Every structure is written in structure tokens, then in C-alpha cells.
Amino acid sequence: MTIKPTFADATPVTLDAPPLSFLDDVRAGLSKPQKALSPKYFYDEAGSALFEAITRLPEYYPTRTEIGILDACGPEIAALLPAHAALVEFGSGSTVKLRRLLRHLDTLAAYVPVDVSGEFLRGQAEVLRGDFPDLRVEPVVADFTRDFDLPESLNGLPRAGFFPGSTIGNFDPHEAEALLRRFGRILGPGAHMIVGVDLVKDAAVLETAYDDAQGVTAAFNLNLLTRINRELAGRFEPGAFSHRAVFNTDASRIEMHLVARDAQAVRVGADTFAFAAGETIHTESSYKYTPATFRALTERAGWTWLTVWTDPEKLFSVHALRLD
């Protein structure tokens, strides 16, 4: 999506962790009965630019709706967070949503962006320091799906977590529960969390949001094959696949797939994978919750649910949690 004693010269802390193998993940995913690729590999340079374009599409409501909630309810959200806290944003990315809260967090002691992309993280941190010279910004290069320690410089500060964007929905419910437990271990007892969660709604609204009329989401999905070709000596023909987004009502999730238009064999590195006509690669799930089902998930993960804010149309929600 951590920190140092002073903010003027703070540099990201790189944590030792086993490197993720793109090739191993692709090989394993394409060998499954239901072929699958991890959505974490969407975000090369081209994929990141396409996703930013997606967030501006008229069909894609989550980003603008969550920002609207943060704008309208920012004072209430800030009032629930402890004074003089360190705010840890897991998978921080850009600072667009953070900035909506900063105007209300007058006593914030430190902001701790956590992300796997060190170069991007450093750039965002420098911009933020320039715009908020009195804010202590202490970035950490880390994968938030793995345990890591916060720096000793934060010892004694209350902790709060920030996890916007409905990223929690990209994890299966049992994985989301485990992730919230991990956040609890990282932040410690007494911590608070603010989490963005997309809500269940009409299937047509959901499917249109993930399959826009301009084809930007399709390009985003298909770019994953282009990345495999470029980085892993893949032999995919992106034009031989089409994009599909469908709401799985039973699982309460949007599924994105790449669909083989014809029977074909594709080489990736030293391996060849056969596709039947119409066979799919499952590239992403985005789970949708009701306020009640997400509250139940957080409580199973050991958090106390405090409250929820939604937009007038009940499209999106922002939840506040506390770890007792």
C-alpha cells in the first residue's frame, strides 16, 4: 500500500521479505483448473495509468463516492481517531483520499504511507512534505499482506490505520479477515482503523462499473497479458482474448475474467498452456458487502465496530473500527 524520527530527511525503510516471483505465480495460476492471475500484477506503469483513468470514468462510482463521504463526514471521522496519532495507510498509492482527511487532523503526529513501490512512495512522500511542511511523513517500503514492524520512532504514539478504496474487497472473506488481524498485530492494542468498503447493489450498476463503454477497464485487464509477454517472454496474443466482468450473486463479488476467443496454446517462458475456446483466466474478484456483513467480518477478526458512513445513494461505505 514505515518511519523515522524526523520528517525532513526521512527515507523509506525497506523490510527484508522473500521476493515475489511473477513467473512462479503465473505458472501456478495458469496450471489451475480455473486459470487465474493475481490482480497485484495489474500495476505496471501502463496498468497504473489505466487504473487512474478508470477512476475518472462516469461508470466507475467507487472513487468519487468515497471521496464524497470523506469530504462530507471528515470531521466526524477525525473526531473518532486519537489525538497525536501516527496514521498508517496500508497500500498508500496516491495521496488523494488522505488529503481529504488531513484538513481535519490538526493534531496528527505522523503519517506513515506503506507501499511496495519504493520509487513511487518516495515521490509521493516528497510532494506531501512540500504541501504540508509541518506534517511528519515517514514512508515504509513493505508488502502490507505480510507482517512487518513499525519503526521504534513511533513508540508511545497512538496508532490509526487507513485502508480506503475498497481494497479489502479484493480479498476472499477469510483472507480479508486474516488481513484485518494482521493490521491489528501491526498497529497494536488500542488502535483505530478507517476502512473503505463497496456495498452490494444492482448487478447492472456493478457490471457497468467494471466494463465501461470506452473499454478502459478491458484495456486494463488485457494489459496483464502484455506485461507477461514483456517481462516473462510470454507469447500471448491479447487480441485473442476478451474482457468479461460479471456479478457472482452467490459469492457477492464482481469477477473479472479474460476469455479465450478460440482454442489456442500459449507459451510463457519454458511452459505451454492450452486454452479451450471460451475458457477464462480469472484475474480479479471484488467482494461487495452490506454494512451488517462487513461488521460481522470485522468482529470475527477481533475488532470492535464503531460506526459506518455512507453516501445518500448507499453505493459505498466507510467504517470505523477499534482494537480493544
Side-chain angles (χ1 to χ4, degrees), residues 141-197:
V141 179
D143 179 351
F144 67 75
T145 66
R146 299 173 181 267
D147 285 338
F148 63 90
D149 295 324
L150 293 174
E152 293 182 359
S153 60
L154 298 181
N155 288 351
L157 292 178
R159 312 281 176 80
F162 188 39
F163 197 44
S166 196
T167 305
I168 195 78
N170 293 135
F171 296 84
D172 290 340
H174 73 278
E175 295 172 337
E177 188 178 326
L179 185 66
L180 288 174
R181 287 198 191 96
R182 175 172 287 109
F183 290 168
R185 290 195 298 272
I186 292 168
L187 295 171
H192 289 66
M193 276 286 297
I194 302 298
V195 186
V197 180

Side-chain angles (χ1 to χ4, degrees), residues 3 87 89 92 95 98 108-113 128 135-138:
I3 287 107
L87 181 66
E89 183 172 2
S92 54
T95 60
L98 167 76
L108 189 66
Y111 169 61
V112 185
L128 197 65
L135 178 64
R136 176 178 166 188
V137 182
E138 303 196 30

Side-chain angles (χ1 to χ4, degrees), residues 266-300:
V266 178
R267 192 169 182 83
V268 179
D271 300 294
T272 300
F273 302 95
F275 290 83
E279 187 175 2
T280 75
I281 308 171
H282 185 184
T283 54
E284 184 177 45
S285 290
S286 184
Y287 284 84
K288 311 304 175 185
Y289 293 89
T290 68
T293 57
F294 188 72
R295 175 177 180 170
L297 186 149
T298 64
E299 290 175 346
R300 291 195 302 272

Side-chain angles (χ1 to χ4, degrees), residues 61-78 80 96-104 162 164-166 194-199 201 291 307-320:
Y61 62 85
T63 301
R64 64 175 177 271
T65 307
E66 185 177 28
I67 287 173
I69 295 170
L70 294 175
D71 284 343
C73 305
E76 296 174 49
I77 296 170
L80 281 179
V96 172
K97 292 169 187 172
L98 167 76
R99 290 167 183 265
R100 316 310 263 227
L101 282 184
L102 282 181
R103 67 187 75 175
H104 306 295
F162 188 39
S166 196
I194 302 298
V195 186
V197 180
D198 201 5
L199 296 176
K201 58 188 68 67
T307 192
V308 61
W309 298 272
T310 64
D311 60 288
E313 296 179 80
K314 301 293 191 290
L315 296 174
F316 200 90
S317 62
V318 174
H319 296 248

